[in-house]
Amino acid sequence: MMNSAAVYPAPSAPPADMFGTVPGYEGTVAGGGGCLPPPMPMEPVAPPQPGPTPEDWSIPSLSEDVAHEAFKSFASSNCCWSKSPANDGVITSMEPFNTYRYRLETFTESRSTEWAHKPHEGEPADFYTQTAPRPWEIQATAPSLFTNHTEEIRVPFTSSIKECHTCHASGTMQCVECHGNGYKPCWACNGSGTKSDENCSRCDSTGKDSCTECNSRGSKDCETCEGKRQLLTYIQLKVEWTDNVEDHVVQQNSGINVDDLRSVTGKELFKNNQYLLYPLFGFPNPAIAEASERLIKDHQSKYAQTSRILQQRQKVELIPITKVNYKWKGDSHVYYVYGNENQVSADNYPATCCCVIQ
């Protein structure tokens, strides 16, 4: 018979009694749980020390020629704008502004465990042959600093062999496409064998189409055990390295939209990294000093609870912004040149349409 495969509802998760109890992993469940707190350091950690104080906080001045060329390039990039304001406008004054961006990165390692399973492919069962190492005792190779990466490791001495809970160790499941029959009603004659009072040539009047999903077997290999009938169950350790990044931008009333600054880079004034950072108390701009102190405190408090802090890095960029005042046809106008890329913002460009509709 075609429908000899047993019909079992596919469980959403393995039964709870499928897994054993491993010392040190008593709270581990299928599907995983929260991150495991790292052990306390074996030796006292040296207090964070202040980094070197940079000497050059100046912003490079922008020449009129560079500002003019940037404006002309900006106008040319808008096909329907008149180029006259950019070509013929006369710069009357230029005002530089210091705009700082502070960035804090905290590179962490977190670990979590869950019971997992895979089709048994001859691996030996090592459950209880030795004491399983604790989650934070297992060696894992970290990526380069400040690089996101995830690694999954089978915990030694936690593996055992179980019958597949989905197919009850039969290795097969009924084909859901044909309900175990090995065939489906012919689509041309809707299973009647005739079409327009004539024998159906599509199915030779049988009213049946072979099921291509199961090759007419009526059953398919069990998706859980892939036909192996047995599963290797084990505790899986998930190790995640994460670069947690947070920015703080200070704008000193230049008039430019602060969101425009996200697309540009600035002059790197300061960067240092160490295990635990020290706030930039000596920074000339008090808003950056405050942001540094607040974010470092927040990161060290937040991430140390559930992960191991491996390194922190802080950077201060000075983003050049120049407010350019110019005259065109007797009226005064403004545009901004900003970032190392000399991007331009001109919300009130005076000639935004030169197209003529016929």
Side-chain angles (χ1 to χ4, degrees), residues 5-286:
V7 182
Y8 300 114
S12 58
D17 59 0
M18 177 176 175
F19 306 110
T21 300
V22 179
Y25 293 86
E26 287 82 359
T28 301
V29 296
C35 293
L36 303 167
M40 293 296 293
M42 297 300 291
E43 299 177 0
V45 176
Q49 299 297 317
T53 302
E55 298 177 356
D56 180 15
W57 301 106
S58 63
I59 184 169
S61 60
L62 189 73
S63 70
E64 285 193 13
D65 288 343
V66 172
H68 192 206
E69 288 300 318
F71 196 31
K72 288 197 296 184
S73 176
F74 169 75
S76 298
S77 66
N78 294 274
C79 63
C80 289
W81 290 13
S82 168
K83 311 303 184 291
S84 181
N87 291 331
D88 304 331
V90 177
I91 295 175
T92 57
S93 65
M94 295 171 55
E95 303 172 69
F97 289 85
N98 291 348
T99 298
Y100 300 106
R101 175 165 56 207
Y102 173 81
R103 170 168 291 178
L104 174 65
E105 298 173 81
T106 298
F107 185 53
T108 60
E109 176 186 341
S110 61
R111 298 191 173 201
S112 58
T113 58
E114 64 175 333
W115 276 105
H117 58 76
K118 63 176 291 295
H120 181 231
E121 298 174 302
E123 302 95 334
D126 59 7
F127 188 67
Y128 269 136
T129 57
Q130 292 187 41
T131 302
R134 299 297 194 266
W136 285 95
E137 296 173 347
I138 297 172
Q139 293 295 315
T141 303
S144 301
L145 288 175
F146 307 105
T147 303
N148 293 330
H149 182 63
T150 300
E151 186 174 343
E152 294 180 343
I153 302 171
R154 189 186 307 168
V155 177
F157 313 119
T158 63
S159 301
S160 57
I161 300 170
K162 305 284 185 180
E163 290 188 348
C164 179
H165 56 279
T166 300
C167 65
H168 292 240
S170 68
T172 58
M173 296 290 289
Q174 185 186 86
C175 176
V176 296
E177 189 72 19
C178 65
H179 306 291
N181 295 312
Y183 61 85
K184 297 182 292 184
C186 172
W187 60 267
C189 64
N190 292 322
S192 65
T194 60
K195 184 179 180 181
S196 300
D197 296 327
E198 294 182 0
N199 291 337
C200 178
S201 59
R202 163 75 187 177
C203 62
D204 291 333
S205 304
T206 63
K208 302 175 182 179
D209 253 348
S210 297
C211 179
T212 57
E213 189 70 22
C214 64
N215 293 324
S216 303
R217 291 165 49 202
S219 64
K220 298 177 64 179
D221 283 349
C222 172
E223 293 182 358
T224 302
C225 68
E226 298 179 357
K228 301 295 194 299
R229 303 189 180 190
Q230 292 182 318
L231 299 173
L232 185 75
T233 66
Y234 55 93
I235 292 178
Q236 181 166 273
L237 173 68
K238 184 178 183 180
V239 187
E240 293 183 271
W241 292 273
T242 307
D243 184 21
N244 304 279
V245 183
E246 199 163 350
D247 287 345
H248 179 82
V249 177
V250 178
Q251 184 178 8
Q252 296 184 351
N253 302 318
S254 64
I256 193 172
N257 188 336
V258 69
D259 289 335
D260 290 340
L261 305 180
R262 301 186 190 281
S263 62
V264 298
T265 60
K267 176 185 178 183
E268 187 177 286
L269 298 179
F270 179 84
K271 181 171 74 173
N272 76 322
N273 62 283
Q274 56 192 57
Y275 166 54
L276 292 178
L277 285 172
Y278 196 80
L280 295 176
F281 290 131
F283 195 84
N285 186 291

